[in-house]
Amino acid sequence: MKLSGVLFFPVTPFDAGGGLAEEVLAEHISQRMEHGPGAVFAACGTGEFSALSEAEHARVVRVAAEAVGGRAPVFAGAGGPLGAALNQARAARDAGADGLLLMPPYLAQGPGHGYTAYVSAIASVLPVVIYQRGTVALEPDTVVELAGIPGVIGLKDGLGDIDRMQRTVLAVRERFPEFLFFNGLPTAELTMPAYRGIGVELYSSAVFAFAPEIATAYLNGEERLLTEFYAPLVRLRGKVPGYPVALVKAGVRLRGLDVGGVRPPLVDVTGEHLEELEALIKTGLERAAS
């Protein structure tokens, strides 16, 4: 599977009662499809994967697949306990997903061959992109081994260890040249110059969810956005734990679509920070249009 362009991670909208707002989700994805994302990753981190029930997860993926309508690959989040991850994978397959973004297992840590068995079981259902972050910090030889498992097609890096990633990219591409790598750090655009330097061109864009014009302008070479939009956004993001998701959802609301708030333990953006975000979006849109 080949991916290109910006990777879109939609938010999961909730209604006033806290339930899943399926029609709003469909509208959110349909609007962003007009900007040509390379793939859509539904019910993943930005989509509050950890806050969804299995039933909600399955509905989110089905709505996403229907809204995308075959215009781009659709990936679904999966992970946690093996049984839950397998249920999510099978439901995603039945809902029309093309692949999975595999989150780190919940709390339990075993030796390397234990994680390999975990990945292999889930990859037997749908193609898997492994998410490296938290408890999953893989050495290059381990990624080579995982890349040899049928159905394992890529690695999303959420660690930001450029030395480790350079060694991993070199080792894996020597044997599996089509294997996918992408930058999965929050506000990935800020670190893309470093990732491009080691041969990683793909990245997940949280900004695409609320300001696709800005994300697309950056992809097309508007480097001034790094200093005028992305760096200030990262400073704002660092003020409160959980803001990598809450800011995105607030940004979608500011752009006119009521996707509701975030679920606990995340918290919504404060009024002061919402004003900062609104000003940043205005600046970013002005630069993107110039």
Side-chain angles (χ1 to χ4, degrees):
M1 186 183 302
K2 291 188 176 181
L3 302 180
S4 61
V6 176
L7 307 181
F8 168 36
F9 284 64
V11 302
T12 297
F14 301 124
D15 59 27
L20 181 62
E22 295 186 29
E23 292 184 2
V24 180
L25 175 61
E27 184 177 357
H28 173 49
I29 294 173
S30 295
Q31 288 178 355
R32 299 302 173 255
M33 290 306 299
E34 296 176 4
H35 295 267
V40 177
F41 286 73
C44 293
T46 304
E48 297 180 75
F49 166 81
S50 61
L52 301 177
S53 69
E54 286 187 15
E56 289 174 326
H57 174 278
R59 286 159 56 200
V60 167
V61 178
R62 185 173 298 279
V63 170
E66 291 174 353
V68 172
R71 290 173 286 176
V74 174
F75 287 77
L82 179 59
L86 286 170
N87 286 344
Q88 292 155 357
R90 293 171 185 137
R93 177 193 60 197
D94 295 345
D98 301 290
L100 304 168
L101 177 62
L102 185 58
M103 310 292 187
Y106 176 71
L107 287 181
Q109 284 185 269
H113 62 273
Y115 180 67
T116 299
Y118 175 84
V119 172
S120 182
I122 298 163
S124 68
V125 181
L126 274 176
V128 160
V129 172
I130 296 164
Y131 193 1
Q132 174 173 251
R133 66 173 293 177
T135 57
V136 176
L138 305 169
E139 290 300 323
D141 57 348
T142 303
V143 182
V144 171
E145 180 182 359
L146 291 167
I149 297 173
V152 177
I153 64 171
L155 176 73
K156 174 184 179 182
D157 180 50
L159 295 179
D161 184 334
I162 294 297
D163 175 82
R164 182 196 298 262
M165 274 298 290
Q166 177 69 93
R167 291 183 288 114
T168 299
V169 169
L170 292 174
V172 173
R173 285 185 173 160
E174 185 175 4
R175 291 187 55 189
F176 305 100
E178 300 302 315
F179 194 78
L180 300 171
F181 289 99
F182 66 91
N183 176 359
L185 292 174
T187 320
E189 287 90 342
L190 192 65
T191 52
M192 275 312 297
Y195 277 84
R196 289 193 180 105
I198 62 170
V200 176
E201 295 290 338
L202 288 171
Y203 60 94
S204 56
S205 176
V207 170
F208 189 90
F210 64 87
E213 305 94 331
I214 297 173
T216 302
Y218 172 75
L219 181 67
N220 291 335
E222 182 47 86
E223 295 290 341
R224 289 174 295 180
L225 284 166
L226 287 178
T227 55
E228 297 178 26
F229 173 77
Y230 285 106
L233 181 64
V234 168
R235 288 194 292 271
L236 177 57
R237 188 195 72 206
K239 292 183 177 181
V240 177
Y243 263 18
V245 175
L247 281 174
V248 176
K249 216 160 193 183
V252 178
R253 293 195 303 272
L254 286 171
R255 298 300 305 282
L257 188 63
D258 186 3
V259 291
V262 293
R263 283 180 173 173
L266 302 181
V267 297
D268 288 315
V269 176
T270 66
E272 177 186 356
H273 293 159
L274 194 63
E275 290 179 2
E276 288 186 51
L277 178 61
E278 187 171 21
L280 276 176
I281 292 173
K282 180 180 178 182
T283 298
L285 291 173
E286 289 173 352
R287 173 57 65 201
S290 64

